[in-house]
């Protein structure tokens, strides 16, 4: 079985602030980021679709001690997309010292950031971001 939506295509779209996912023809569920099968029913009959790239913050944390190559502090959140799937990404445009639980439920919009390569990676990568 092959990946219908490759990481390469997913990342290329993300660089244009477009979010690609998979829609299942068996159950109607959405899968993002790309997997080989539907995350809801494990179905294999999937179509590539463009999602709205919008959703609500379900939870988040403020990272104050960053991994090597990252600049602390920053916020990592889990977003429930309008189409259903939950997607992790950095929440940008919020002062880390002012982040409170009131952020949960706030609407966010997808974007991206290009992260330079470090000794743990094979080079530059594209990260998902969300802004209020
Ligand atoms: Zn399904």
């Amino acid at each position: 079985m092959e990946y219908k939506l490759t990481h390469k295509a997913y990342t290329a779209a993300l660089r244009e602030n477009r979010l690609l996912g998979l829609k299942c023809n068996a159950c109607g569920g959405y899968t993002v980021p790309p997997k080989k099968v539907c995350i809801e029913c494990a179905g294999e009959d999937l179509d590539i679709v463009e999602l709205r790239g919008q959703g609500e913050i379900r939870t988040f944390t403020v990272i104050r001690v960053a991994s090597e190559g990252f600049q602390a502090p920053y916020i990592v959140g889990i977003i429930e997309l309008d189409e259903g799937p939950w997607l992790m990404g950095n929440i940008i445009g919020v002062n880390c010292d002012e982040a409170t639980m009131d952020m949960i439920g706030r609407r966010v919009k997808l974007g991206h950031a290009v992260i330079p390569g470090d000794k743990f990676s094979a080079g530059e990568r594209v990260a998902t971001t969300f802004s209020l």
Side-chain angles (χ1 to χ4, degrees):
M1 191 191 331
E2 293 182 1
Y3 280 94
K4 183 143 197 172
L5 174 57
T6 63
H7 181 73
K8 185 176 180 181
Y10 177 79
T11 300
L14 196 54
R15 283 181 183 272
E16 300 170 348
N17 295 327
R18 296 169 48 236
L19 183 62
L20 296 183
L22 297 161
K23 184 170 186 191
C24 178
N25 289 315
C27 76
Y30 290 86
T31 296
V32 63
K35 309 246 183 244
K36 283 189 175 179
V37 298
C38 171
I39 58 172
E40 298 291 338
C41 75
E44 298 175 19
D45 183 10
L46 306 169
D47 285 333
I48 297 172
V49 293
E50 183 167 343
L51 288 82
R52 296 184 62 219
Q54 296 181 28
E56 293 184 3
I57 299 172
R58 284 293 161 243
T59 192
F60 72 93
T61 191
V62 178
I63 307 292
R64 296 200 181 273
V65 179
S67 302
E68 195 175 332
F70 287 78
Q71 189 77 36
Y74 60 94
I75 302 172
V76 175
I78 296 179
I79 310 307
E80 182 177 3
L81 299 171
D82 290 346
E83 294 85 355
W86 292 30
L87 185 62
M88 192 163 65
N90 287 14
I91 298 174
I92 60 170
V94 176
N95 183 327
C96 291
D97 293 329
E98 295 173 1
T100 68
M101 297 308 272
D102 292 342
M103 285 172 45
I104 292 175
R106 294 279 304 272
R107 299 282 304 166
V108 288
K109 186 173 182 0
L110 177 116
H112 78 280
V114 177
I115 310 292
D118 59 27
K119 70 181 184 183
F120 306 107
S121 66
E124 176 182 283
R125 67 186 184 86
V126 180
T128 306
T129 63
F130 290 96
S131 54
L132 295 175

